[in-house]
Amino acid sequence: MRKGRGPAKGKPARAVPSGRPPGSGDQWVAFRRGLSEALRVLEDGEFLIIAATDPNYYVQFAGHGTDGMRAEAVSNTYLTGKALLSDNACQALQAMGWRPPTYVPVEGAPPPATGSPNFFIDARPPVPYARLATLAVRTLRTVYRIQHPQDLRYKSFFLAGDAIRLPMLGIPREAKSSDRARTPGSPGDRADLTVTGRFPDDLLTDWPGTKPIAAEVIEGTLRRRVTQCEAALEDSVWQLARFYSMVRRAPEALDYVRRLLARADNPAKRAGGYLALGQLLEQQRRYAEAEQTYTEGLTIRPATGPIGYLLHNNRGYCLNRLGRHAEAETHCRAAIEIDPSRHNAHKNLGLALAGQGRYGEAVRSLLEADRRWPADRRARRHLAEVLAQHPEILEADPTLAAPAASGESVRTGAPDDDDASVEVPVSVGPPMPQAALPGDPQP
């Protein structure tokens, strides 16, 4: 995770209190149980932030798939004034099991490959969800002094930015405020029709003390309501499809995604639908069908942005599984051209090159993937396999020996300045500090 400020020193106002922490015990017990369940369903490349409404205290979690889960608790790096944690509070966090911050972000410089500017824990599989939830609640109550769970808000989202609903938390979800005008005054003003409680034909006629509303105003309001209802229906269908995917009921999930595709007329939504459909087919190891689905998604519009990256990357992954390594190389390189900062296409490119017998190039791509995100150990595992089968690679290129042995990685042609500016575009956003959690959802 990257952040923006350095830890402040001076007169911290926070200290660890003695005695019983504030708030209703029953409410916190229910919240802890809900949080444990929410963490259990958090998948690879999905994120959850739980924050106080004021001041800016928060804990956050990132699903890392087969590598477990990252948990973080805000440190003085992002706190100011009276919100600063005292030395006692920082020591208490470490006593609970949190690892201390390992670096201070420097503007313009790439963050270290490991560690965090916050207090953090990397939980390896099997992830102790209940223990992480208990730790988070204890941190919020005893160190950050949150009185009640209702003083918290949550935000959860997928790597590409799509929001995720986690109703089991039992706390409000951060939501955007409505941009519709709500002009005070009589019912004849341009207010939300729902507020007036009257039918459109009432509004077209005189109302005591008011002027009738023009037909086009009512039409526009009703059209907005239809659009909102359609959006709510679409969101519910997506959530149902996600649920079926989580519980490994892939046929039902596929059915609902296909329904959404049949209704979608927006090119971006259709491309995203084909991406979701392909991922579900991958869950069932139906790689040929998934590859064809990604192909259809790539024909909808020019492949750009996160969706374009994933369509190319995932198609390359499927082609590797099908033994079509030369084709896989083309799509992995296309994904890297869209976003060279993400590690997964570098890893899949390494497998495609190894499949063609180009082992030296494969080693460099796998090292680049490992450099981009060392927490994903799959690239290093593939690297070890290639080197074990072909030790002559290190003899031919001795410059690879040190990074291959130490866990460091070599730069592969990109200028230093480009490397320094690369960051994964996942913004936690207000009211949180700007942050990025690296990750990729595909194998």
Side-chain angles (χ1 to χ4, degrees), residues 6-204:
K9 298 185 180 292
K11 295 183 178 180
R14 289 270 162 180
V16 179
S18 60
R20 185 177 179 181
S24 167
D26 290 343
Q27 292 177 358
W28 282 108
V29 168
F31 174 72
R32 174 176 56 78
R33 291 172 178 167
L35 176 57
S36 177
E37 183 58 30
L39 297 180
R40 194 178 304 277
V41 301
L42 210 62
E43 295 186 345
D44 191 11
E46 296 180 348
F47 310 96
L48 169 62
I49 305 102
I50 297 174
T53 52
D54 183 63
N56 191 34
Y57 294 127
Y58 64 88
V59 293
Q60 56 189 9
F61 305 88
H64 286 174
T66 57
D67 286 306
M69 179 169 288
R70 160 65 70 92
E72 292 194 355
V74 66
S75 73
N76 283 339
T77 306
Y78 309 110
L79 299 174
T80 58
K82 293 183 178 181
L84 284 169
L85 302 171
S86 68
D87 290 341
N88 287 342
C90 294
Q91 292 171 9
L93 287 169
Q94 294 182 58
M96 291 179 188
W98 294 102
R99 296 176 62 184
T102 58
Y103 68 90
V104 177
V106 178
E107 186 174 357
T114 59
S116 171
N118 281 323
F119 292 93
F120 70 102
I121 288 176
D122 285 316
R124 302 302 179 192
V127 177
Y129 301 109
R131 289 174 57 190
L132 285 180
T134 299
L135 175 63
V137 168
R138 187 180 174 194
T139 300
L140 291 167
R141 295 185 70 186
T142 64
V143 177
Y144 298 154
R145 301 295 290 164
I146 308 301
Q147 296 288 324
H148 300 282
Q150 288 305 310
D151 295 331
L152 300 169
R153 298 291 184 269
Y154 84 90
K155 183 177 182 179
S156 188
F157 51 92
F158 176 64
L159 184 67
D162 299 327
I164 301 170
R165 296 179 187 273
L166 298 171
M168 70 283 286
L169 289 170
I171 60 175
R173 182 170 70 97
E174 181 186 310
K176 294 180 180 178
S177 59
S178 173
D179 59 356
R180 290 182 296 174
R182 295 186 178 274
T183 307
S186 69
D189 292 324
R190 296 188 178 189
D192 188 345
L193 296 182
T194 306
V195 175
T196 69
R198 290 184 282 144
F199 292 102
D201 54 343
D202 295 324
L203 295 172
L204 288 167

Side-chain angles (χ1 to χ4, degrees), residues 202-239:
D202 295 324
L203 295 172
L204 288 167
T205 60
D206 288 334
W207 192 264
T210 68
K211 296 180 181 180
I213 299 178
E216 58 269 21
V217 175
I218 297 175
E219 178 187 10
T221 304
L222 292 175
R223 284 184 177 276
R224 286 196 299 273
R225 186 186 295 180
V226 169
T227 300
Q228 292 161 5
C229 291
E230 289 177 343
L233 174 62
E234 180 179 314
D235 180 69
S236 297
V237 174
W238 272 118
Q239 295 299 329

Side-chain angles (χ1 to χ4, degrees), residues 274-341:
Y274 279 112
L275 173 62
L277 190 61
Q279 290 171 327
L280 288 168
L281 290 166
E282 282 188 40
Q283 278 188 7
Q284 302 176 72
R285 302 184 185 279
R286 295 158 63 178
Y287 298 114
E289 295 173 70
E291 186 270 330
Q292 185 57 43
T293 300
Y294 295 136
T295 302
E296 293 181 50
L298 288 168
T299 62
I300 292 176
R301 62 172 187 165
T304 58
I307 298 297
Y309 172 91
L310 289 171
L311 285 169
H312 276 298
N313 174 68
N314 295 8
R315 188 180 179 193
Y317 168 76
C318 290
L319 288 166
N320 273 336
R321 296 299 298 242
L322 296 169
R324 295 157 59 184
H325 301 296
E327 296 173 73
E329 177 187 354
T330 299
H331 289 283
C332 293
R333 292 192 185 280
I336 292 169
E337 185 175 352
I338 293 172
D339 188 350
S341 71

